Amino acid sequence: MRDGIVVVGAGHAGVQAADALRERGYSGPVTLVSGEPELPYTRPPVSKDLLYGDAEPEPLRPASFYRERRISLVPAAARGIDRDARLVHVSGGIVARYDHLVLATGARARRPDQPGSDLRGVLTLRTAADARMLRGYLRPGARVVVLGGGFIGLEVAAAARAQGAEVTLIERGDRVLGRGVSATTAAMVTEHHREAGVRLVLGEQVACFVSEGGGVTGVRTGAGGLVAADVVVAGIGAVPDDGLARAARLPVRNGIVVDQWLTTADPRISAIGDCAAVREPLTGAITRLESVQNASDQARYIADLLTGGTSRPYRALPWFWSDQGSLRLQMVLRSPAHDRTVSVRNGARTSVLRFDGGLLTGVESINDPSTHQAARRLLDRAAPTEAELAEVDHDVRALARQVRQEKVGA
Ligand SMILES: Cc1cc2nc3c(=O)[nH]c(=O)nc-3n(C[C@H](O)[C@H](O)[C@H](O)COP(=O)(O)OP(=O)(O)OC[C@H]3O[C@@H](n4cnc5c(N)ncnc54)[C@H](O)[C@@H]3O)c2cc1C
């Protein structure tokens, strides 16, 4: 390869891909095109630590890292891809030539579209700049309305409440984390936020945003109620940033469609992280995950693939965490299906085991990091049966220890 590898997007996926390429001995040019003005930073604190005081984003790597590893960090947005000439056009007239292009453009926060959604004070949360904007509103007595009871909405609610704001969270489903966790865990999360003083309004939609003189002053719900607001934060999901790929006539379907090798329809272009929609070869089903684990694992995989370290399809066990005040939720999912759950409590620690057809398919842990770690080790190897877990009183750590001892003894 002479022209080198261009990575577009310097989030968790893009930076990890550039890093892993050098780790694996790739010596050609590596260009990292970054769409944000700051040194690439870790994104999860945007809805957590960055909502307090004057906290600054934590860089993913120090500035010296890019110089030392000869990674050209271009702080501008990619505007277009010329696939025939193998060029990426970047703002400011810069042109980057590639042998291989990695798209790691992530996702954007979905904006609400009800009347009044463009009012001042109706915010979304994706970047450090968004966090700075929101935290300006978070003070004792401020009326904060959060739309969406997903991970980001709940994290914002916790941070706003911890700073003394009056928080109302409106969720259109009949429970929080409807897509994310089992009903058992959702009930515990709900209890945690209610105890903290968050007002949860479930099963309600937003009809419009209300204003008296420019900025938002309230949210009108579908049922006709009015919730007063100094600020509204929409945590209603993310939209993959697949515009560059679409314009380059690559297939997109809720993300940039890639095969099991994370390769697009163009063998010289891959997509990783939040923007990548992985297509299952047999069923055609698309999986697009939004997590640091997924972004990092896909990035390491693509570096392996491009440097000849692997030729196998991508495979990794998905796991995730969310910090909501004093509640740390961690989950690992071998498959999203479950027909039964078993809760295991140990003092303040709880884990919910998800079973499907008698096999363990996932574990959701609340303030129980050691069970989460054990579940990752266990599920990475195989799905244990419910009978095996019943023999150890559903103690995931005990079964993980047993399995490890058997492996060492084998
Ligand atoms: C507020 C928030 C909190 C989160 N908390 C957690 C958590 O607690 N745990 C967890 O596991 N996950 C969490 N996530 C999800 C996790 O942060 C993402 O899955 C991860 O950041 C995805 O990494 P990525 O590199 O694919 O995308 P991103 O982090 O979105 O990075 C993509 C980058 O590409 C840039 N870009 C886009 N288009 C262009 C272009 N044309 N040219 C140049 N650059 C471009 C974007 O500006 C961005 O900087 C959170 C996400 C958010 C938004």
Side-chain angles (χ1 to χ4, degrees):
M1 290 196 189
R2 265 185 313 115
D3 291 326
I5 297 174
V6 174
V7 181
V8 176
H12 286 266
V15 170
Q16 181 62 67
D19 187 349
L21 281 166
R22 289 294 185 235
E23 279 290 301
R24 284 146 179 76
Y26 177 73
S27 59
V30 175
T31 306
L32 184 56
V33 184
S34 161
E36 292 185 55
E38 17 219 333
L39 197 61
Y41 57 88
T42 59
R43 201 164 296 283
V46 163
S47 50
K48 308 173 185 76
D49 300 1
L50 285 189
L51 295 180
Y52 291 84
D54 52 6
E56 280 301 310
E58 187 190 324
L60 281 163
R61 306 284 187 281
S64 57
F65 163 87
Y66 302 94
R67 284 195 304 278
E68 284 161 8
R69 309 281 166 115
R70 292 179 299 105
I71 295 167
S72 328
L73 186 61
V74 180
R79 295 284 177 223
I81 304 165
D82 180 339
R83 285 168 52 192
D84 295 330
R86 286 192 274 120
L87 297 175
V88 177
H89 294 276
V90 183
S91 330
I94 303 166
V95 177
R97 191 177 288 278
Y98 63 84
D99 291 307
H100 196 92
L101 173 62
V102 179
L103 295 174
T105 47
R108 277 171 286 121
R110 186 189 302 280
R111 278 205 67 83
D113 56 5
Q114 290 87 349
S117 59
D118 53 355
L119 286 167
R120 183 164 35 81
V122 179
L123 308 180
T124 56
L125 196 58
R126 181 84 200 175
T127 64
D130 296 338
R132 289 188 192 105
M133 169 82 86
L134 170 57
R135 73 189 181 204
Y137 289 92
L138 302 184
R139 54 183 172 274
R143 296 161 310 172
V144 177
V145 174
V146 178
L147 306 183
F151 293 110
I152 290 178
L154 290 166
E155 289 176 358
V156 170
R161 191 69 201 113
Q163 294 177 70
E166 298 298 320
V167 182
T168 305
L169 185 147
I170 302 175
E171 160 59 45
R172 71 177 173 188
D174 57 6
R175 67 170 171 97
V176 299
L177 297 175
R179 284 180 305 144
V181 301
S182 64
T184 317
T185 297
M188 287 188 276
V189 172
T190 301
E191 185 59 22
H192 166 82
H193 287 281
R194 287 212 163 116
E195 271 179 12
V198 174
R199 187 173 154 241
L200 288 170
V201 179
L202 302 177
E204 286 260 16
Q205 304 250 24
V206 173
C208 64
F209 300 92
V210 179
S211 162
E212 287 164 18
V216 72
T217 54
V219 172
R220 174 88 52 203
T221 66
L226 180 68
V227 186
D230 299 310
V231 65
V232 178
V233 194
I236 54 172
V239 184
D241 234 323
D242 53 19
L244 274 180
R246 189 189 299 267
R249 300 179 322 283
L250 290 169
V252 295
R253 209 172 114 198
N254 183 32
I256 306 167
V257 177
V258 291
D259 62 16
Q260 303 281 287
W261 291 265
L262 308 184
T263 306
T264 67
D266 181 334
R268 286 186 182 268
I269 305 180
S270 314
I272 56 173
D274 280 16
C275 70
V278 185
R279 192 173 174 280
E280 227 288 341
L282 293 180
T283 61
I286 294 277
T287 306
R288 191 178 68 77
L289 297 176
E290 294 174 3
S291 72
V292 168
Q293 167 275 321
N294 177 64
S296 309
D297 282 347
Q298 291 193 338
R300 289 191 199 97
Y301 169 82
I302 213 68
D304 264 355
L305 190 73
L306 293 177
T307 53
T310 186
S311 55
R312 290 186 178 181
Y314 172 75
R315 181 196 159 271
L317 182 67
W319 55 266
F320 183 80
W321 81 94
S322 168
D323 289 334
Q324 302 169 20
S326 60
L327 180 145
R328 165 158 274 213
L329 173 62
Q330 292 168 294
M331 50 198 293
V332 50
L333 286 188
R334 203 177 154 89
S335 122
H338 67 281
D339 54 25
R340 188 176 130 70
T341 58
V342 174
S343 300
V344 184
R345 277 177 196 266
N346 188 347
R349 299 178 293 158
T350 303
S351 283
V352 175
L353 279 48
R354 297 164 61 132
F355 294 97
D356 192 53
L359 292 178
L360 184 74
T361 53
V363 176
E364 302 161 347
S365 302
I366 292 183
N367 297 336
D368 192 1
S370 54
T371 299
H372 171 72
Q373 293 295 342
R376 274 167 52 184
R377 287 197 301 276
L378 204 54
L379 286 170
D380 198 35
R381 296 163 51 84
T385 63
E386 186 165 0
E388 285 174 298
L389 275 151
E391 271 178 35
V392 290
D393 291 334
H394 291 94
D395 184 338
V396 171
R397 289 177 302 171
L399 187 61
R401 271 196 304 274
Q402 258 182 30
V403 169
R404 194 162 48 189
Q405 276 156 11
E406 280 163 19
K407 194 179 154 203
V408 171

